[in-house]
């Protein structure tokens, strides 16, 4: 009853003083990469849409510094998410690019908003949600009441989900809860301090107190669940282009004592360059995407525990603290006289780019919120799904990244400082993500989707939580929301096979001719002759074929719509490719065109994995007579055969 008396005056006040009351088919909360794709998709499904963005910028982390795309396997990325990276590629004169500048990403998201005619309300954090029975009827922001038939929470924090009273969790489950092995407390060797690093302000003197950032808590038994959150940071965009460079200066609130542990690590390990403390990935136009690396880096370990459920003022303070810590780290490395001269000089070549984030002081407004709330929905994705020990049949997207968690705390173990929580377990291929994992339990809500803070255990979420995957799931959510509206259904009653078919038939949410992908594992469309060895590492999709003996592999597309198609074959990153690979292409099964590509023609810069090699354009008639055949003729190395793509022109 107390909860009711608190909520009612809020909505009465909202109705009296709100400047605006809006009614739409679909309301999307969060203008992240997922939110933009969901909004565009819903509009293409002929629905009225409103995107509510708490901040001032679209694209979330994808436009906020994460330009060196974490992906795992490109095969997992479909639909408009894949289209986003194709649009980025077009900007750089490529077919497809997964490495890009923040401003280019933001411009691309704005293209979707403009093309779709999607309305966005900026600087409108949610303050309340009102439910009627099991349905969310409306939400309240600072100045607007939004009523909608369906809601999609695309925020990194799950604020709409929480305001609507949907079940969620924060932190790490105990391994025993879902029969996992990599959840809970984990003391491992990756991003770990070398043995012997003293944790005390006065080395060897516990009475002097712990250095900044070290927790006095005892390390828990391996696999024990707790509410600690994996560390946040910023994905930092710097430049070494003199004409575009703003020098790194001392940030407000700078405290060199925060980096004492870095000095102790440097003194012990004697690093040759910055790579031991900063993961510097290079972007186009002399820019970077810098991520955490090593025992002490950009991750502000243990300083974000309150963030997921905090109010906006507290979150803003936590974000400022992380910004200060990250900027301070860069300044410390370049200016503290105790740092080795060669590291200081290497750091001083970098500065903030003048042409990035001009409205936020040339610093990203988007902190890397790796994990906050996670819904406890109709189905919980777990380690078993990642490892394909349990395979769902209601998949509406795929993931393929390593089960990844950054460190959660810095503690003392056996008298030495250690990090706890980092897990990086891979070695598995793409796997499906359940539709049930993006919808609530029926008793919680019947008209909401949660494609970002989806229903997954901590360690499974670590594999799923990639920006391209969020976009895939958001598109699926928007299509499902449209179907639910059309059929006057709850989200739990959506016809999933029909949803899956729609996603396949309209991958760009339009009636445009879809591309045709023929992958090695599609046995009905791939014919092998000779001795080919199946390999999985580095492949597009589940596998690729390699041969150093005489043989061919033929890819035969099923053409459902006649037209002109550009052909691409996928070539993984390898150093042992032959001088040339010979290919035969036929549009009708009779007339044959001889082609070849060389390693020199493969432009792997701008990619995080292999590359699509352009084989030219072909006109295809409806049917299955056409083929692309990779041969071993003239080989002087191992011939690689992976997927073939027919892209409509």
């Amino acid at each position: 009853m107390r909860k009711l008396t608190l909520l009612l005056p809020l909505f009465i006040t909202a109705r009296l003083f709100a400047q605006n009351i809006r009614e739409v088919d679909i309301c999307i909360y969060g203008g992240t990469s997922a939110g933009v794709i969901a909004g565009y998709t819903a509009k293409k499904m002929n629905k009225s849409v409103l995107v509510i963005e708490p901040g001032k910028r679209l694209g979330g982390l994808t436009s906020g510094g994460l330009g060196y795309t974490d992906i795992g396997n490109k095969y997992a990325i479909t639909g408009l998410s894949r289209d986003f990276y194709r649009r980025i590629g077009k900007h750089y004169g490529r077919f497809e690019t997964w490495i890009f500048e923040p401003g280019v990403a933001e411009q691309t998201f704005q293209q979707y908003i403009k093309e779709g005619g999607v309305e966005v309300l900026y600087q409108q954090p949610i303050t309340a949600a009102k439910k009627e029975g099991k349905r969310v009827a409306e939400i309240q922001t600072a100045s607007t009441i939004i009523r909608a038939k369906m809601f999609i929470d695309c925020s990194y924090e799950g604020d709409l989900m929480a305001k609507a009273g949907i079940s969620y969790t924060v932190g790490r489950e105990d391994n025993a809860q879902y029969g996992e092995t990599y959840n809970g407390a984990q003391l491992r060797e990756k991003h770990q301090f070398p043995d012997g690093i003293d944790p005390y302000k006065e080395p060897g003197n516990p009475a002097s107190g712990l250095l900044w950032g070290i927790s006095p808590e005892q390390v828990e038994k391996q696999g024990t669940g707790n509410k600690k959150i994996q560390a946040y940071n910023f994905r930092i965009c710097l430049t070494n282009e003199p004409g575009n460079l703003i020098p790194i200066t001392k940030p407000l609130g700078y405290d060199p004592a925060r980096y004492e542990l870095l000095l102790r690590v440097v003194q012990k390990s004697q690093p040759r360059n910055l790579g031991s403390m900063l993961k510097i990935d290079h972007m186009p136009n002399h820019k970077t995407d810098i991520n955490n690396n090593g025992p002490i880096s950009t991750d502000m370990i243990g300083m974000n525990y309150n963030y997921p459920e905090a109010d906006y003022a507290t979150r803003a303070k936590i974000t400022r603290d992380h910004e200060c810590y990250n900027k301070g780290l860069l300044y410390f490395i370049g200016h503290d006289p105790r740092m080795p001269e060669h590291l200081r000089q290497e750091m001083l070549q970098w500065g903030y780019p003048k042409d990035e984030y001009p409205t936020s002081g040339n610093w990203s407004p988007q902190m890397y919120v790796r994990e906050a709330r996670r819904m406890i929905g109709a189905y919980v994705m777990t380690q078993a799904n990642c490892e394909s020990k349990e395979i769902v049949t209601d998949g509406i997207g795929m993931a393929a990244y390593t089960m990844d968690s950054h460190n959660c705390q810095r503690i003392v173990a056996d008298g030495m400082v250690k990090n706890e929580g980092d897990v990086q377990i891979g070695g598995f291929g793409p796997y499906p993500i359940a539709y049930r994992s993006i919808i609530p339990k029926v008793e919680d809500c019947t008209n909401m989707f949660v494609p970002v803070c989806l229903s997954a255990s901590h360690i499974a979420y670590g594999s799923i939580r990639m920006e391209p995957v969020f976009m895939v799931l958001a598109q699926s959510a928007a299509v499902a929301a449209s179907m639910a509206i059309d059929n006057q259904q709850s989200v739990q009653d959506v016809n999933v096979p029909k949803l899956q078919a729609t996603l396949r038939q309209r991958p760009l949410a339009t009636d445009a001719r879809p591309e045709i992908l023929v992958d090695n594992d599609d046995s009905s469309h791939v014919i092998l002759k000779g001795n080919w060895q199946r390999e999985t590492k580095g492949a597009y999709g589940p596998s690729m074929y390699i041969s150093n003996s005489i043989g061919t592999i033929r890819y035969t597309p099923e053409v459902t719509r006649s037209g002109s198609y550009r052909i691409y074959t996928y070539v993984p990153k390898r150093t042992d490719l032959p001088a040339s690979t010979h290919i035969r292409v036929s549009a009708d099964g009779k007339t044959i065109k001889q082609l070849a590509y060389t390693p020199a023609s493969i432009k792997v810069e701008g990619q995080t994995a292999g590359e699509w090699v352009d084989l030219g354009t072909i006109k295809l008639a409806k049917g299955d007579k056409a083929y692309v055949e990779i041969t071993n003729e003239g080989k002087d190395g191992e011939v690689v055969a992976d997927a073939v793509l027919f892209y409509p022109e």
Side-chain angles (χ1 to χ4, degrees), residues 29-106:
Y29 184 73
T32 59
S33 58
V36 172
I37 295 301
Y40 176 87
T41 302
K43 285 289 286 187
K44 292 299 181 181
M45 299 293 289
N46 298 314
K47 298 296 178 281
S48 58
V49 178
L50 189 61
V51 175
I52 308 299
E53 165 51 32
K56 302 177 182 179
R57 182 183 172 96
L58 289 179
L61 198 61
T62 297
S63 67
L66 204 166
Y68 193 84
T69 308
D70 297 320
I71 183 171
N73 192 316
K74 293 178 182 178
Y75 176 84
I77 309 309
T78 55
L80 287 168
S81 180
R82 186 161 58 195
D83 179 68
F84 171 81
Y85 298 99
R86 301 262 170 88
R87 292 188 184 212
I88 292 283
K90 186 176 181 180
H91 173 87
Y92 291 110
R94 307 281 296 269
F95 172 59
E96 179 179 281
T97 300
W98 303 77
I99 298 175
F100 48 84
E101 300 156 271
V104 173
E106 185 186 21

Side-chain angles (χ1 to χ4, degrees), residues 37 69-86 96-98 112 396-401 430-431 433 463-473 475-476 503 507-508 515 517 540-541 608 612 645:
I37 295 301
T69 308
D70 297 320
I71 183 171
N73 192 316
K74 293 178 182 178
Y75 176 84
I77 309 309
T78 55
L80 287 168
S81 180
R82 186 161 58 195
D83 179 68
F84 171 81
Y85 298 99
R86 301 262 170 88
E96 179 179 281
T97 300
W98 303 77
Y112 285 108
I396 38 79
M398 289 183 289
Y401 199 71
Y431 60 90
I433 301 167
S463 171
I464 297 168
R465 62 171 182 83
M466 302 298 130
E467 289 285 294
V469 177
F470 287 156
M471 288 191 266
V472 170
L473 298 179
Q475 179 177 356
S476 301
L503 293 169
L508 301 183
E515 63 187 47
L517 174 68
Y540 184 89
T608 54
W612 289 108
L645 177 68

